[in-house]
Amino acid sequence: MMHMKQIYLFPTGFLCLVALLFSCEQAPQSTDNKADMQQRPSYAIAIHGGAGTITRASMTPEKEAAYRTALDSALLIGETVLRQGGTALDAVEKTIVYLEDCPLFNAGRGAVFTHEGRNELDASIMSGSNQKAGAVGSVMIVKNPIRLARAVMDQSEHVFLTGRGAEQFATEHNIETVDPKWFYTEQRWKTLQEMLEEEKMKGKTGSLEPATRDYKFGTVGCVAMDQQGHLAAGTSTGGMTNKRWNRLGDSPVIGAGTYASDDACAVSCTGHGEFFIRYAVAHDVWALMSYKGLSLADAADFVVNKKLVEKGGEGGLIAVDKNGNIALPFNSEGMYRGYAKPGERKILIYKE
Ligand code: ASP
């Protein structure tokens, strides 16, 4: 517990010092972080189910319980793989498959709708031990896009496949496909109708405008460190409601929404994708650690709470470093999240 509190609850004096260090737009130099020096746990895993306007006031006890149960079950899947000596990659993939199948989240079943009323899904996965990565964008019939991303990584010479080509690759590699109706949920359909109505009133079309709405990003992600010390990260999403023109966000973009490298950390992001692409958020956390020697906590905090905030990018990320430290920063009101390592486990939703 002490360990996580060091990541989250910086004393005010420390925050002021950090603010001072950051005030010249420069990343701070390496700081001594006790958390980094503690003994490495045998495994570590973190998950997210999206960030956004998630407040206690907007939640019913039933809804909150449903989210907590789903996050808990997802975490348990990944934890079990890691505890039994499985790979970080398998833990990430299996955990995300569960979250994709859960209609509460904006990934797989439960994905948001495009302007035209379709579900276009994006996902990516990266292996920290060899920098291999796989990503898919705008697929409409693949039940679990993270599985397809893994197949692209393992069974092709490519990194990023999109649209009909990606779907063809799925059928050729026995990745399960479904009728697009599989992804439909009433709540997401209603949100699209509300957004279209709003647009009509404003006389404007194709706007994502998350900041002006009661917006909840619902992308899912997982990062893990296995018993061999290898890292992996994965992210899966339906993107943003009302997207058009085959818009892709950060989630399937390696370096933006997902990144992993055993020499430093694994990162999965959620938020307003355009900003996460522009500022190469996941890779930026890695770069601050790798080139500047920052701790995971300082690097992740700088990118999410300083850089993104200044640029207007809402969202957050989950990350694990090579020593099993975990950081879960976000600059929105809440983020569905959880983490586990031996003897430590937590599911969180709000700022706490
Ligand atoms: N980052 C995702 C996107 O922009 C959305 C999300 O995280 O919910 O497509």
Side-chain angles (χ1 to χ4, degrees), residues 81-112:
V81 172
L82 297 172
R83 212 181 297 127
Q84 293 174 347
T87 65
L89 267 177
D90 284 347
V92 165
E93 183 186 345
K94 286 193 172 137
T95 303
I96 293 181
V97 164
Y98 175 86
L99 292 165
E100 285 175 340
D101 287 343
C102 176
L104 290 173
F105 302 102
N106 171 21
R109 185 174 219 175
V112 299

Short mmCIF file of all heavy atoms in Angstrom, two decimals, residues 81-112:
data_model
loop_
_atom_site.label_atom_id
_atom_site.label_comp_id
_atom_site.label_asym_id
_atom_site.label_seq_id
_atom_site.Cartn_x
_atom_site.Cartn_y
_atom_site.Cartn_z
N VAL A 81 -2.57 -15.75 -15.17
CA VAL A 81 -1.55 -16.09 -16.18
C VAL A 81 -0.16 -15.83 -15.61
O VAL A 81 0.74 -16.67 -15.69
CB VAL A 81 -1.75 -15.25 -17.47
CG1 VAL A 81 -0.61 -15.46 -18.45
CG2 VAL A 81 -3.10 -15.58 -18.13
N LEU A 82 0.01 -14.66 -15.00
CA LEU A 82 1.34 -14.28 -14.52
C LEU A 82 1.78 -15.13 -13.32
O LEU A 82 2.93 -15.53 -13.23
CB LEU A 82 1.35 -12.79 -14.13
CG LEU A 82 1.07 -11.82 -15.28
CD1 LEU A 82 0.89 -10.41 -14.76
CD2 LEU A 82 2.21 -11.86 -16.31
N ARG A 83 0.85 -15.39 -12.42
CA ARG A 83 1.16 -16.19 -11.24
C ARG A 83 1.61 -17.59 -11.65
O ARG A 83 2.48 -18.19 -11.05
CB ARG A 83 -0.06 -16.26 -10.34
CG ARG A 83 0.32 -16.33 -8.87
CD ARG A 83 -0.88 -16.43 -7.96
NE ARG A 83 -1.76 -15.29 -7.99
CZ ARG A 83 -3.08 -15.34 -8.22
NH1 ARG A 83 -3.68 -16.48 -8.44
NH2 ARG A 83 -3.81 -14.24 -8.20
N GLN A 84 0.99 -18.10 -12.71
CA GLN A 84 1.34 -19.45 -13.16
C GLN A 84 2.58 -19.48 -14.06
O GLN A 84 2.88 -20.49 -14.67
CB GLN A 84 0.15 -20.08 -13.88
CG GLN A 84 -1.02 -20.34 -12.93
CD GLN A 84 -2.28 -20.83 -13.64
OE1 GLN A 84 -2.37 -20.76 -14.87
NE2 GLN A 84 -3.25 -21.30 -12.88
N GLY A 85 3.24 -18.36 -14.18
CA GLY A 85 4.48 -18.31 -14.95
C GLY A 85 4.27 -18.02 -16.43
O GLY A 85 5.19 -18.16 -17.23
N GLY A 86 3.07 -17.61 -16.82
CA GLY A 86 2.79 -17.26 -18.22
C GLY A 86 3.46 -15.94 -18.61
O GLY A 86 4.01 -15.23 -17.77
N THR A 87 3.39 -15.61 -19.90
CA THR A 87 4.08 -14.41 -20.38
C THR A 87 3.23 -13.16 -20.20
O THR A 87 1.99 -13.22 -20.15
CB THR A 87 4.42 -14.54 -21.88
OG1 THR A 87 3.17 -14.59 -22.61
CG2 THR A 87 5.22 -15.78 -22.18
N ALA A 88 3.92 -12.04 -20.14
CA ALA A 88 3.23 -10.74 -20.02
C ALA A 88 2.31 -10.55 -21.23
O ALA A 88 1.19 -10.04 -21.10
CB ALA A 88 4.25 -9.62 -19.94
N LEU A 89 2.77 -11.01 -22.40
CA LEU A 89 1.97 -10.86 -23.62
C LEU A 89 0.65 -11.62 -23.51
O LEU A 89 -0.42 -11.09 -23.86
CB LEU A 89 2.73 -11.41 -24.82
CG LEU A 89 3.57 -10.44 -25.63
CD1 LEU A 89 4.30 -11.19 -26.71
CD2 LEU A 89 2.75 -9.30 -26.22
N ASP A 90 0.73 -12.87 -23.03
CA ASP A 90 -0.50 -13.66 -22.87
C ASP A 90 -1.42 -13.01 -21.83
O ASP A 90 -2.65 -13.01 -22.01
CB ASP A 90 -0.17 -15.09 -22.45
CG ASP A 90 0.34 -15.93 -23.62
OD1 ASP A 90 0.20 -15.47 -24.77
OD2 ASP A 90 0.89 -17.01 -23.38
N ALA A 91 -0.85 -12.51 -20.75
CA ALA A 91 -1.66 -11.87 -19.71
C ALA A 91 -2.40 -10.67 -20.29
O ALA A 91 -3.61 -10.48 -20.08
CB ALA A 91 -0.78 -11.45 -18.54
N VAL A 92 -1.69 -9.87 -21.08
CA VAL A 92 -2.28 -8.67 -21.67
C VAL A 92 -3.40 -9.06 -22.65
O VAL A 92 -4.51 -8.53 -22.61
CB VAL A 92 -1.18 -7.82 -22.37
CG1 VAL A 92 -1.78 -6.78 -23.31
CG2 VAL A 92 -0.30 -7.15 -21.32
N GLU A 93 -3.10 -10.02 -23.52
CA GLU A 93 -4.08 -10.41 -24.53
C GLU A 93 -5.35 -10.98 -23.87
O GLU A 93 -6.47 -10.58 -24.19
CB GLU A 93 -3.47 -11.45 -25.49
CG GLU A 93 -4.45 -11.84 -26.59
CD GLU A 93 -3.93 -12.97 -27.48
OE1 GLU A 93 -2.72 -13.27 -27.43
OE2 GLU A 93 -4.75 -13.56 -28.20
N LYS A 94 -5.16 -11.91 -22.94
CA LYS A 94 -6.33 -12.56 -22.32
C LYS A 94 -7.17 -11.58 -21.52
O LYS A 94 -8.41 -11.65 -21.53
CB LYS A 94 -5.88 -13.72 -21.43
CG LYS A 94 -5.42 -14.90 -22.25
CD LYS A 94 -5.27 -16.15 -21.41
CE LYS A 94 -5.01 -17.34 -22.33
NZ LYS A 94 -3.99 -18.23 -21.86
N THR A 95 -6.52 -10.69 -20.82
CA THR A 95 -7.24 -9.69 -20.02
C THR A 95 -8.06 -8.80 -20.94
O THR A 95 -9.24 -8.50 -20.67
CB THR A 95 -6.23 -8.85 -19.21
OG1 THR A 95 -5.46 -9.72 -18.41
CG2 THR A 95 -6.95 -7.84 -18.33
N ILE A 96 -7.47 -8.39 -22.04
CA ILE A 96 -8.17 -7.49 -22.96
C ILE A 96 -9.32 -8.21 -23.68
O ILE A 96 -10.38 -7.62 -23.90
CB ILE A 96 -7.18 -6.81 -23.94
CG1 ILE A 96 -6.28 -5.86 -23.14
CG2 ILE A 96 -7.92 -6.05 -25.05
CD1 ILE A 96 -5.27 -5.08 -23.95
N VAL A 97 -9.13 -9.48 -23.99
CA VAL A 97 -10.23 -10.24 -24.61
C VAL A 97 -11.45 -10.19 -23.68
O VAL A 97 -12.59 -9.94 -24.13
CB VAL A 97 -9.81 -11.71 -24.88
CG1 VAL A 97 -11.03 -12.58 -25.15
CG2 VAL A 97 -8.86 -11.77 -26.08
N TYR A 98 -11.24 -10.38 -22.40
CA TYR A 98 -12.36 -10.33 -21.45
C TYR A 98 -13.02 -8.95 -21.48
O TYR A 98 -14.26 -8.84 -21.53
CB TYR A 98 -11.86 -10.65 -20.02
CG TYR A 98 -12.96 -10.50 -19.00
CD1 TYR A 98 -13.82 -11.56 -18.72
CD2 TYR A 98 -13.17 -9.29 -18.34
CE1 TYR A 98 -14.86 -11.41 -17.81
CE2 TYR A 98 -14.20 -9.14 -17.42
CZ TYR A 98 -15.04 -10.20 -17.16
OH TYR A 98 -16.07 -10.05 -16.27
N LEU A 99 -12.22 -7.91 -21.47
CA LEU A 99 -12.78 -6.56 -21.45
C LEU A 99 -13.50 -6.23 -22.76
O LEU A 99 -14.50 -5.50 -22.78
CB LEU A 99 -11.68 -5.53 -21.15
CG LEU A 99 -11.10 -5.59 -19.73
CD1 LEU A 99 -9.79 -4.81 -19.64
CD2 LEU A 99 -12.11 -5.05 -18.71
N GLU A 100 -12.98 -6.77 -23.87
CA GLU A 100 -13.65 -6.57 -25.16
C GLU A 100 -15.03 -7.24 -25.18
O GLU A 100 -15.97 -6.74 -25.80
CB GLU A 100 -12.79 -7.15 -26.29
CG GLU A 100 -11.58 -6.31 -26.66
CD GLU A 100 -10.68 -6.96 -27.71
OE1 GLU A 100 -10.75 -8.19 -27.90
OE2 GLU A 100 -9.90 -6.24 -28.33
N ASP A 101 -15.13 -8.38 -24.50
CA ASP A 101 -16.41 -9.10 -24.49
C ASP A 101 -17.42 -8.50 -23.50
O ASP A 101 -18.60 -8.86 -23.53
CB ASP A 101 -16.18 -10.58 -24.14
CG ASP A 101 -15.52 -11.33 -25.28
OD1 ASP A 101 -15.55 -10.82 -26.42
OD2 ASP A 101 -14.99 -12.43 -25.05
N CYS A 102 -16.94 -7.63 -22.64
CA CYS A 102 -17.81 -7.04 -21.62
C CYS A 102 -18.47 -5.77 -22.18
O CYS A 102 -17.78 -4.82 -22.55
CB CYS A 102 -16.99 -6.71 -20.38
SG CYS A 102 -17.95 -5.89 -19.11
N PRO A 103 -19.81 -5.72 -22.23
CA PRO A 103 -20.49 -4.59 -22.89
C PRO A 103 -20.36 -3.25 -22.15
O PRO A 103 -20.75 -2.22 -22.68
CB PRO A 103 -21.96 -5.04 -22.93
CG PRO A 103 -22.08 -6.18 -21.99
CD PRO A 103 -20.72 -6.77 -21.81
N LEU A 104 -19.77 -3.27 -20.95
CA LEU A 104 -19.62 -2.01 -20.21
C LEU A 104 -18.58 -1.10 -20.84
O LEU A 104 -18.58 0.11 -20.64
CB LEU A 104 -19.18 -2.31 -18.77
CG LEU A 104 -20.19 -2.96 -17.83
CD1 LEU A 104 -19.52 -3.33 -16.53
CD2 LEU A 104 -21.37 -2.03 -17.60
N PHE A 105 -17.66 -1.70 -21.59
CA PHE A 105 -16.52 -0.91 -22.07
C PHE A 105 -16.58 -0.65 -23.57
O PHE A 105 -17.19 -1.41 -24.33
CB PHE A 105 -15.21 -1.64 -21.72
CG PHE A 105 -15.06 -1.87 -20.25
CD1 PHE A 105 -15.33 -3.12 -19.70
CD2 PHE A 105 -14.70 -0.83 -19.40
CE1 PHE A 105 -15.21 -3.33 -18.33
CE2 PHE A 105 -14.60 -1.03 -18.03
CZ PHE A 105 -14.85 -2.28 -17.49
N ASN A 106 -15.92 0.43 -23.96
CA ASN A 106 -15.88 0.83 -25.36
C ASN A 106 -14.78 0.08 -26.11
O ASN A 106 -13.77 0.64 -26.51
CB ASN A 106 -15.67 2.35 -25.43
CG ASN A 106 -15.41 2.84 -26.84
OD1 ASN A 106 -15.75 2.18 -27.82
ND2 ASN A 106 -14.80 4.02 -26.95
N ALA A 107 -15.00 -1.22 -26.27
CA ALA A 107 -14.05 -2.07 -26.99
C ALA A 107 -14.80 -3.36 -27.29
O ALA A 107 -15.55 -3.83 -26.44
CB ALA A 107 -12.83 -2.37 -26.14
N GLY A 108 -14.61 -3.90 -28.48
CA GLY A 108 -15.36 -5.11 -28.82
C GLY A 108 -16.84 -4.85 -28.63
O GLY A 108 -17.39 -3.81 -29.03
N ARG A 109 -17.54 -5.79 -27.98
CA ARG A 109 -18.97 -5.61 -27.71
C ARG A 109 -19.13 -4.43 -26.73
O ARG A 109 -18.50 -4.42 -25.67
CB ARG A 109 -19.49 -6.89 -27.05
CG ARG A 109 -20.96 -6.87 -26.85
CD ARG A 109 -21.41 -8.21 -26.33
NE ARG A 109 -22.67 -8.56 -26.95
CZ ARG A 109 -23.28 -9.71 -26.77
NH1 ARG A 109 -22.75 -10.63 -26.01
NH2 ARG A 109 -24.43 -9.95 -27.34
N GLY A 110 -19.96 -3.47 -27.13
CA GLY A 110 -20.08 -2.27 -26.28
C GLY A 110 -19.32 -1.09 -26.86
O GLY A 110 -19.26 -0.01 -26.25
N ALA A 111 -18.72 -1.29 -28.05
CA ALA A 111 -17.98 -0.19 -28.69
C ALA A 111 -18.93 0.94 -29.09
O ALA A 111 -20.11 0.71 -29.35
CB ALA A 111 -17.27 -0.73 -29.93
N VAL A 112 -18.39 2.14 -29.16
CA VAL A 112 -19.19 3.29 -29.57
C VAL A 112 -19.49 3.22 -31.07
O VAL A 112 -18.85 2.47 -31.81
CB VAL A 112 -18.47 4.62 -29.24
CG1 VAL A 112 -18.24 4.76 -27.75
CG2 VAL A 112 -17.17 4.73 -30.03
#
